[in-house]
Amino acid sequence: MLAASTKVGSRLASPHASSSAAAAAAAALASSPVLGSGMLSGAGFGETGSHHAADAPPPLPCSSSGDSREYYYLWTRLVNQSQSTLHRGKVTAALGHHVFGAGGSSRNQHIYRYFSSSSHQGRIWAGSKVLRDLPEYVKIVEVGPRDGLQNEKDIVPTPLKVELIRRLATSGLPVVEATSFVSPKWVPQLADAKDVMEAVQTIEGVRLPVLTPNLKGFEAAIAAGAKEIAIFASASEGFSKSNINCTIKESIARYNDVALAAKEKEIPIRGYVSCVVGCPVDGPVPPSNVAYVAKELYDMGCYEVSLGDTIGVGTPGTVVPMLEAAMSVVPVEKLAVHFHDTYGQSLSNILISLQMGVSVVDSSVASLGGCPYAKGASGNVATEDVVYMLNGLGIKTGVDLGKVMAAGEFICKHLERQSGSKAATALSKVTATASKL
Amino acid sequence: MSSLEEPLGLGDLPKLSINRLGRFLSPTARRSPADDHSTGKYSNSCNGSPFHGNSYPWHPQCRQADSSCDAVELRDLPRKVMWELPRFVKIVEVGPRDGLQNEKGNVPTSVKIQLIHKLVGAGLSVVEATSFVSPKWVPQLADAKEVLKGIQQEPGVRYPVLTPNLRGFEAAIAAGAKEIAVFASASESFSKSNINCTIEESLVRYRDVTEAAKKHGLTIRGYVSCVIGCPVEGAIDPSKVAYVAKELYNMGCSEISLGDTTGVGTPGSVVAMLQAVMAFVPLDKIAVHFHDTYGQALANILVSLQMGINVVDSSVSGLGGCPYAKGATGNVATEDVVYMLHGLGIKTNVDLNKLMEAGDYISKELGRPLGSKTATALRKLTT
């Protein structure tokens, strides 16, 4: 197994670089007496695949000392701050840090070494073909303030929306969908779009796209100061008719006008395709439909096309053919995936999308936004869960998990609902019961 | 093989659903006459159109009576991401033991027996029935003997029971157990705090149990806990996991289940851990037992499948919270796993509808909401 993987040019950690945060954490952890004792010394797996441990079981070290509790707290804080995660191409202080993952990337085909180390060395994980071609960086597009709040029962007052956007921006999320310029008749939760937009003008360092379903919405958005817009088409006729009251072709024509106006003003446009796997009206959606709509949006000038599994029914079996179709007409780096967790499938769908080459993922803090088609079921995938997985895979996101969790807590308190994020729930509960150990 | 795909019932049709399914079904999708579903044989032959991934349990009008025509031949997809996916995955249902053991409420013996019967009726071929541990530690399973004696054991179905020591083993034999399970930790601290002895001591103890089991001709299943992280120690070295797995395997365990007890694993750490274990234990003897505490279980299962693993532990309706993070979830829900596997065209012999019924039943008895998103979504579709 190992021999095979060495032939494959896995992403390998280069043995030197280490981020300063990782080094600091490594130093802190390495000095803990717990770590040294937890390892099997001398049980190395050489790159030739010979396993010393196979000859005789290595002696088990004695168990952790009484400093384990201190270490545990340190570990938990690190988890919350997600500081020193594995980065592609860097050796990690994976020791003792549970959010470790596959090795870093190396375009050189080094032999991948896998061994258990003593506490001072970094850990180089055996690369494996299943994780070999993952992107180094994934852009997370936070849709909580728009897609999330739009599908929540309660209406959040404007200042709270603005505060949520601000907190999300400071957590490092590069793109935060701010609001939607649709008729308040359809989406009363976002009737204050203009006020929100004007208030967020001062937030820097983040892109704040807004939805504009037609020219009127576009003009209102621009007047309110929007610098980026988003348009929405469906891959399913049935959904298009029931959701925006026109056929797919008609909606494309409508968006063409918006796109022209946007290009004139040099406003970037993000395209969304909904119902890319299944439609609540029409049933399964052929990938060719998705390719058609994605291509139309891309040709119209969208810098990115986000593929949305609106009712959350996708599994890797349906996601892969759909992505293949889309990738045949739109370059993979311009594609984003927007999975819903209604059936609990989103993280595995995101993983398979990363394996296919996608590197932009939409998600919603605290999993805001239920599913309007299955009452009481969940909708958007939680940003915290996505970041947790990406951190564990050593994929950079620029996002501070702790701050996102704080933003999630903030909005959930006001909405008086539980966070829909399992990672956030677990991380906040773990510290609460730490004293029990 | 029964892959779900029966509609929820005429009375359940949601108002929005219109049967346009016919348009999208490939006309060439046919059931292979050679399929024999009842005995659990499976085949992947269906020349449906490439997109026709699997039948669609979420589309209530999906009248796919010939549900065999589901597996798009994923291996034919020119996509590297589907390497080595198994064609069949055996699901080991741990709800009645691992699930109920970690639930606050206590259910009567008759309910436990009913649950096991329903699970077997849904097609599960391995159902962990109970645990012969001291009722002082696990009061929820104090009726182990009655449960084991009370279940109608179907031929071809396995009902492993946990036996942490010789005494539990004797009690299990007396109650008619044909398969036992032993549990070792990859983390010293967890071993001490959970079963009050070091890893080595526990292995010595289990050697006695497995010797006795082999004498009686019983099958033995081995579990390794804390394979990624430990609530006390933090990250666990994969070589440690490999060591414990190897010891259990050498002792005579026919299958080693690797458990991410705290649910902290992500595909990166899982792959590293699996690679270590796979160097010592044959692939087909390895099972994965992920917890969904951080929502990572399905992604971890997916990557394990890609590595070639074909046995997955799960718990109906996600029974069994996490004792280390109060209020957080624990076991991954069988319904969610089955939904993903069927979507991948992987056979399980499990009928999702019947499984959801079992989950519904036990959730009502426990007075808790469904722990499976798939079950919740499919149930809510009808409102």
Side-chain angles (χ1 to χ4, degrees):
Chain A
M1 176 74 202
L2 283 174
S5 65
T6 57
K7 292 205 197 84
V8 166
S10 348
R11 282 174 177 259
L12 309 166
S14 70
H16 15 274
S18 173
S19 70
S20 55
L29 297 176
S31 60
S32 161
V34 176
L35 295 178
S37 62
M39 309 306 151
L40 288 174
S41 47
F45 293 27
E47 56 266 38
T48 53
S50 73
H51 310 305
H52 319 292
D55 305 326
L60 273 182
C62 48
S63 69
S64 49
S65 71
D67 279 322
S68 56
R69 178 176 303 229
E70 206 178 84
Y71 167 64
Y72 174 77
Y73 287 133
L74 173 63
W75 168 57
T76 317
R77 274 205 303 282
L78 281 175
V79 165
N80 278 339
Q81 293 156 27
S82 69
Q83 304 243 324
S84 55
T85 57
L86 267 190
H87 292 299
R88 293 299 190 180
K90 296 179 186 186
V91 138
T92 171
L95 265 187
H97 196 308
H98 82 288
V99 283
F100 50 75
S105 74
S106 165
R107 305 295 174 187
N108 317 315
Q109 320 245 316
H110 289 302
I111 290 176
Y112 209 76
R113 193 161 317 162
Y114 173 77
F115 54 86
S116 78
S117 62
S118 63
S119 53
H120 295 281
Q121 293 164 20
R123 174 77 43 82
I124 302 173
W125 295 116
S128 169
K129 60 184 192 302
V130 303
L131 298 177
R132 183 178 68 212
D133 292 327
L134 295 182
E136 299 206 359
Y137 170 78
V138 163
K139 178 172 78 174
I140 298 195
V141 174
E142 170 62 44
V143 301
R146 199 277 307 166
D147 196 6
L149 295 184
Q150 168 173 323
N151 285 305
E152 288 286 327
K153 279 188 324 293
D154 301 322
I155 298 189
V156 175
T158 309
L160 291 182
K161 284 194 181 106
V162 174
E163 179 60 20
L164 173 65
I165 295 173
R166 203 187 55 78
R167 288 182 188 221
L168 291 169
T170 50
S171 72
L173 288 159
V175 185
V176 177
E177 231 188 12
T179 186
S180 184
F181 283 83
V182 295
S183 162
K185 195 171 54 168
W186 300 118
V187 187
Q189 295 92 332
L190 303 180
D192 57 357
K194 178 159 110 50
D195 301 326
V196 170
M197 207 58 230
E198 283 170 358
V200 300
Q201 290 305 308
T202 50
I203 303 180
E204 289 182 353
V206 65
R207 295 165 54 174
L208 301 164
V210 298
L211 235 67
T212 55
N214 46 38
L215 264 181
K216 200 169 94 179
F218 173 75
E219 266 138 37
I222 296 297
K227 302 212 183 50
E228 182 169 330
I229 61 153
I231 53 181
F232 237 100
S234 168
S236 144
E237 284 291 2
F239 189 74
S240 191
K241 296 231 192 71
S242 81
N243 200 39
I244 49 177
N245 236 351
C246 61
T247 64
I248 299 181
K249 267 216 163 68
E250 286 165 2
S251 72
I252 303 269
R254 197 191 290 175
Y255 293 136
N256 243 319
D257 297 337
V258 176
L260 283 172
K263 279 193 276 206
E264 234 178 293
K265 294 201 156 62
E266 289 182 357
I267 302 272
I269 320 159
R270 188 175 206 247
Y272 282 87
V273 186
S274 53
C275 289
V276 298
V277 176
C279 166
V281 182
D282 287 349
V285 176
S288 46
N289 279 27
V290 179
Y292 163 64
V293 177
K295 187 169 186 316
E296 289 291 321
L297 291 174
Y298 183 62
D299 288 346
M300 219 186 273
C302 291
Y303 72 86
E304 194 167 87
V305 178
S306 171
L307 307 168
D309 178 13
T310 307
I311 48 176
V313 295
T315 60
T318 41
V319 165
V320 167
M322 182 276 295
L323 282 177
E324 283 201 303
M327 282 159 64
S328 64
V329 292
V330 176
V332 69
E333 59 270 14
K334 309 286 189 211
L335 288 174
V337 286
H338 183 122
F339 292 116
H340 279 190
D341 206 37
T342 318
Y343 290 72
Q345 309 294 309
S346 53
L347 277 190
S348 42
N349 289 339
I350 289 173
L351 179 64
I352 207 105
S353 306
L354 297 178
Q355 290 174 332
M356 298 272 288
V358 174
S359 60
V360 185
V361 175
D362 296 2
S363 61
S364 176
V365 64
S367 185
L368 286 184
C371 178
Y373 305 100
K375 203 162 85 107
S378 64
N380 287 304
V381 63
T383 304
E384 298 94 316
D385 296 356
V386 175
V387 171
Y388 186 90
M389 180 172 81
L390 296 176
N391 283 354
L393 280 165
I395 295 176
K396 293 203 212 29
T397 57
V399 177
D400 181 326
L401 180 55
K403 292 193 178 148
V404 177
M405 278 172 47
E409 253 180 67
F410 165 77
I411 191 65
C412 285
K413 201 167 72 176
H414 287 284
L415 285 170
E416 285 176 354
R417 57 160 274 177
Q418 299 265 31
S419 172
S421 158
K422 286 193 168 180
T425 305
L427 286 170
S428 52
K429 304 282 188 187
V430 158
T431 47
T433 57
S435 56
K436 293 236 178 77
L437 290 172
Chain B
M1 116 112 204
S2 81
S3 204
L4 139 96
E5 307 20 345
E6 235 97 56
L8 292 174
L10 285 177
D12 294 334
L13 300 177
K15 29 194 188 305
L16 275 190
S17 135
I18 301 168
N19 187 5
R20 303 246 181 90
L21 196 57
R23 265 203 289 149
F24 301 124
L25 284 177
S26 159
T28 62
R30 288 211 201 311
R31 164 151 112 185
S32 155
D35 279 359
D36 179 42
H37 306 292
S38 53
T39 61
K41 287 215 295 272
Y42 52 89
S43 75
N44 260 0
S45 63
C46 173
N47 23 355
S49 65
F51 102 84
H52 189 222
N54 196 351
S55 31
Y56 306 97
W58 51 272
H59 192 69
Q61 285 260 3
C62 171
R63 297 198 149 274
Q64 299 226 14
D66 30 81
S67 53
S68 66
C69 156
D70 46 22
V72 65
E73 193 50 67
L74 289 172
R75 255 152 293 271
D76 294 344
L77 286 179
R79 247 328 138 176
K80 58 187 187 306
V81 300
M82 296 302 185
W83 325 260
E84 287 176 36
L85 283 186
R87 289 172 181 267
F88 176 80
V89 162
K90 179 174 70 184
I91 296 198
V92 173
E93 171 60 46
V94 302
R97 199 277 309 168
D98 195 5
L100 294 183
Q101 169 173 323
N102 286 303
E103 286 289 328
K104 279 193 312 299
N106 226 332
V107 295
T109 308
S110 54
V111 171
K112 290 190 178 103
I113 294 175
Q114 258 287 60
L115 172 66
I116 294 173
H117 287 163
K118 283 183 189 273
L119 291 168
V120 174
L124 290 157
S125 62
V126 186
V127 179
E128 229 188 11
T130 186
S131 183
F132 285 85
V133 295
S134 161
K136 195 171 54 167
W137 300 117
V138 186
Q140 296 93 329
L141 303 180
D143 55 0
K145 190 171 89 178
E146 288 77 27
V147 170
L148 195 52
K149 283 211 164 116
I151 44 185
Q152 191 105 329
Q153 300 211 10
E154 297 288 326
V157 178
R158 292 161 43 191
Y159 303 86
V161 296
L162 238 67
T163 53
N165 47 36
L166 265 180
R167 206 171 84 188
F169 174 74
E170 308 285 338
I173 290 276
K178 301 209 188 59
E179 179 167 339
I180 59 148
V182 295
F183 238 100
S185 169
S187 150
E188 274 307 347
S189 337
F190 188 74
S191 191
K192 289 253 196 62
S193 79
N194 202 39
I195 51 177
N196 235 352
C197 60
T198 63
I199 298 180
E200 205 53 50
E201 284 166 7
S202 74
L203 290 175
V204 164
R205 200 190 286 175
Y206 294 140
R207 277 193 201 104
D208 295 338
V209 175
T210 51
E211 279 310 312
K214 281 189 277 195
K215 281 213 195 82
H216 282 86
L218 262 53
T219 329
I220 317 157
R221 188 175 209 247
Y223 284 86
V224 186
S225 52
C226 291
V227 299
I228 306 281
C230 163
V232 184
E233 277 180 30
I236 297 295
D237 192 324
S239 48
K240 195 79 160 282
V241 182
Y243 168 65
V244 177
K246 179 172 168 296
E247 286 296 310
L248 289 175
Y249 182 64
N250 287 345
M251 249 184 244
C253 292
S254 58
E255 195 167 85
I256 312 289
S257 173
L258 306 170
D260 177 12
T261 308
T262 49
V264 294
T266 57
S269 46
V270 164
V271 164
M273 183 274 297
L274 284 176
Q275 284 196 306
V277 176
M278 281 158 64
F280 293 106
V281 179
L283 185 55
D284 54 339
K285 308 283 190 226
I286 301 176
V288 286
H289 183 123
F290 292 119
H291 279 190
D292 206 32
T293 318
Y294 290 73
Q296 309 293 310
L298 280 189
N300 291 341
I301 290 173
L302 178 65
V303 90
S304 307
L305 297 175
Q306 290 174 332
M307 301 271 288
I309 304 282
N310 59 10
V311 185
V312 174
D313 297 1
S314 60
S315 177
V316 66
S317 195
L319 285 185
C322 177
Y324 306 100
K326 204 163 84 115
T329 61
N331 286 305
V332 64
T334 308
E335 298 93 320
D336 297 352
V337 175
V338 168
Y339 184 88
M340 178 172 82
L341 294 175
H342 288 181
L344 277 164
I346 295 174
K347 305 279 197 281
T348 61
N349 282 353
V350 175
D351 179 328
L352 185 53
N353 263 331
K354 295 201 178 131
L355 178 63
M356 292 194 319
E357 272 172 36
D360 214 32
Y361 168 75
I362 191 64
S363 300
K364 285 209 175 73
E365 291 288 337
L366 283 167
R368 57 158 272 175
L370 295 175
S372 154
K373 284 195 168 179
T374 297
T376 306
L378 285 174
R379 288 275 168 260
K380 305 286 184 177
L381 269 182
T382 66
T383 53

